[in-house]
Amino acid sequence: MIENYLLEELVTFKKYGTLAATAQHLLVTQPTVTRGMQKLEDELGVQIFDRQPNRITLTKTGELAVKEAQKVIDRNNQLIETVQKYDYNHKNITVGSVAPGPLILLKKLQTSKLADTNLDLDHKLMDTKDVSGKLLNHDYSFILTNQELMTDEIESLYIGTERLSVNLNQFTLLANKKSVSFNDLKGLSFIVLSDIGVWKKVAEGKIPGAKFLYQEQREAFSEITKYSDFPYFTTNISKIDSDNIFSDYDQINVPISDEASKMDFYAAYLKNNKRQVAPVLKTMSASWSNYLS
């Protein structure tokens, strides 16, 4: 079997073009690279270098060897990465999500009911189309998604329903209603946190003529909602955010009545990870039912 360092020397030589540059990049001596290239030729049993006075280049066979060597290096790196992620995810429970709400609940539970569990929450939200691939690639122990996934390798558990509401200045007519529809909110301008995941499509697609003033910084969002009349959205989960950035100054929280304002969330996981994630999902589901409905 050809050792990996010989393949790395070959690929590096192709990139930098000389033995000296190859040695410098790999932090070894030039004679070390020279011996390595000779050893590689001996093990392959073919000539992959054309040696001329003061110059060495790749033969056509050598060019092919470089391409195949890169494939082997990539496969080896993928092997290492996959094994390391698999090991990490069996010692820790890594969680991804397509929306911020479910992560807010888990963050709260981290300091209470799940304080003894090694939870690693990724707050960078993902696209729903990437969920299956990231699970199969062992990137996450489970992913919170608004789609129920059932395949030969993946299953899902219903966690709870998130409900969207709007916060309106108390002196507006809409603030006096028990609930509003998306159509009632047409033409308004809203202050919105930039990363709201799958809720972004709902808000932008359901409110006619609305404008959305997205804020990257949570602190800026908090200041604007506190000192302006711009409406903003919350959900039954975002209200329990331990880093509460939602001001209720002169604002009345009004439920949105449309069916699209309700979103079911599921925890999707690999079937062979069920035993590991089940206690966390049970706690999360019970907490959602107890005080988030």
Side-chain angles (χ1 to χ4, degrees), residues 202-247:
V202 173
E204 292 183 348
K206 296 296 183 179
I207 306 177
K211 295 181 180 179
F212 301 93
L213 309 176
Y214 288 104
Q215 299 297 311
E216 293 282 349
Q217 297 182 338
R218 294 168 66 88
E219 294 81 5
F221 176 89
S222 180
E223 288 297 302
I224 293 173
T225 57
K226 183 176 181 180
Y227 296 110
S228 77
D229 291 333
F230 286 115
Y232 61 93
F233 300 106
T234 52
T235 73
N236 54 329
I237 300 184
S238 63
K239 296 174 186 176
I240 68 164
D241 192 348
S242 57
D243 298 326
N244 189 10
I245 60 171
F246 302 104
S247 167

Side-chain angles (χ1 to χ4, degrees), residues 34 37-38 41 47-53 55-57:
T34 301
M37 295 297 93
Q38 184 60 61
E41 276 189 324
Q47 182 181 350
I48 60 174
F49 296 101
D50 182 12
R51 294 175 175 84
Q52 300 292 332
R55 187 181 178 212
I56 180 173
T57 58

Side-chain angles (χ1 to χ4, degrees), residues 12-71:
T12 304
F13 175 80
K14 167 65 176 177
K15 182 176 181 179
Y16 291 96
T18 68
L19 294 175
T22 300
Q24 182 179 11
H25 179 76
L26 295 175
L27 302 178
V28 297
T29 65
Q30 184 170 329
T32 297
V33 175
T34 301
R35 289 192 296 271
M37 295 297 93
Q38 184 60 61
K39 182 178 181 181
L40 181 59
E41 276 189 324
D42 293 342
E43 293 199 16
L44 289 172
V46 297
Q47 182 181 350
I48 60 174
F49 296 101
D50 182 12
R51 294 175 175 84
Q52 300 292 332
N54 301 318
R55 187 181 178 212
I56 180 173
T57 58
L58 289 163
T59 64
K60 288 185 178 181
T61 302
E63 295 283 354
L64 174 63
V66 169
K67 294 179 181 179
E68 295 302 316
Q70 185 64 64
K71 293 178 183 178

Side-chain angles (χ1 to χ4, degrees), residues 2-284:
I2 298 175
E3 295 179 82
N4 206 59
Y5 82 91
L6 296 176
L7 303 179
E8 290 178 349
E9 287 183 358
L10 177 62
V11 170
T12 304
F13 175 80
K14 167 65 176 177
K15 182 176 181 179
Y16 291 96
T18 68
L19 294 175
T22 300
Q24 182 179 11
H25 179 76
L26 295 175
L27 302 178
V28 297
T29 65
Q30 184 170 329
T32 297
V33 175
T34 301
R35 289 192 296 271
M37 295 297 93
Q38 184 60 61
K39 182 178 181 181
L40 181 59
E41 276 189 324
D42 293 342
E43 293 199 16
L44 289 172
V46 297
Q47 182 181 350
I48 60 174
F49 296 101
D50 182 12
R51 294 175 175 84
Q52 300 292 332
N54 301 318
R55 187 181 178 212
I56 180 173
T57 58
L58 289 163
T59 64
K60 288 185 178 181
T61 302
E63 295 283 354
L64 174 63
V66 169
K67 294 179 181 179
E68 295 302 316
Q70 185 64 64
K71 293 178 183 178
V72 173
I73 292 171
D74 292 342
R75 284 196 296 269
N76 286 342
N77 290 337
Q78 182 63 45
L79 168 66
I80 294 170
E81 181 182 351
T82 299
V83 172
Q84 288 177 342
K85 285 191 295 188
Y86 183 86
D87 180 69
Y88 181 85
N89 286 333
H90 273 71
K91 296 175 181 176
N92 304 272
I93 296 179
T94 308
V95 185
S97 183
V98 302
L103 292 178
I104 290 173
L105 174 58
L106 269 181
K107 184 178 179 181
K108 186 177 182 68
L109 294 176
Q110 258 186 310
T111 61
S112 55
K113 298 178 181 180
L114 296 175
D116 296 329
T117 305
N118 293 327
L119 282 178
D120 182 2
L121 309 184
D122 185 356
H123 291 277
K124 184 177 181 180
L125 305 179
M126 70 181 70
D127 195 294
T128 52
K129 64 181 175 57
D130 297 327
V131 172
S132 294
K134 289 185 178 294
L135 286 173
L136 294 172
N137 199 40
H138 302 286
D139 290 331
Y140 298 94
S141 305
F142 68 86
I143 297 175
L144 295 155
T145 176
N146 62 326
Q147 296 179 351
E148 185 177 17
L149 295 177
M150 292 292 180
T151 70
D152 290 341
E153 297 178 81
I154 298 171
E155 64 183 19
S156 302
L157 177 70
Y158 171 73
I159 298 296
T161 300
E162 191 169 15
R163 295 176 175 85
L164 193 67
S165 58
V166 63
N167 297 274
L168 300 164
N169 185 281
Q170 62 180 327
F171 299 111
T172 62
L173 292 176
L174 289 177
N176 296 317
K177 301 183 67 173
K178 291 184 178 181
S179 66
V180 295
S181 67
F182 284 126
N183 193 61
D184 291 332
L185 304 173
K186 63 183 178 182
L188 296 180
S189 296
F190 298 86
I191 295 294
V192 186
L193 281 171
S194 294
D195 199 4
I196 57 173
V198 290
W199 282 113
K200 184 175 183 178
K201 185 177 180 181
V202 173
E204 292 183 348
K206 296 296 183 179
I207 306 177
K211 295 181 180 179
F212 301 93
L213 309 176
Y214 288 104
Q215 299 297 311
E216 293 282 349
Q217 297 182 338
R218 294 168 66 88
E219 294 81 5
F221 176 89
S222 180
E223 288 297 302
I224 293 173
T225 57
K226 183 176 181 180
Y227 296 110
S228 77
D229 291 333
F230 286 115
Y232 61 93
F233 300 106
T234 52
T235 73
N236 54 329
I237 300 184
S238 63
K239 296 174 186 176
I240 68 164
D241 192 348
S242 57
D243 298 326
N244 189 10
I245 60 171
F246 302 104
S247 167
D248 57 3
Y249 181 77
D250 283 345
Q251 301 285 348
I252 301 296
N253 183 261
V254 183
I256 299 175
S257 58
D258 302 66
E259 191 63 29
S261 70
K262 302 175 183 178
M263 191 176 297
D264 293 339
F265 279 94
Y266 304 83
Y269 51 87
L270 294 178
K271 291 180 179 179
N272 56 17
N273 282 349
K274 183 174 183 178
R275 179 177 296 181
Q276 181 195 23
V277 303
V280 174
L281 302 186
K282 182 178 180 180
T283 300
M284 189 179 183

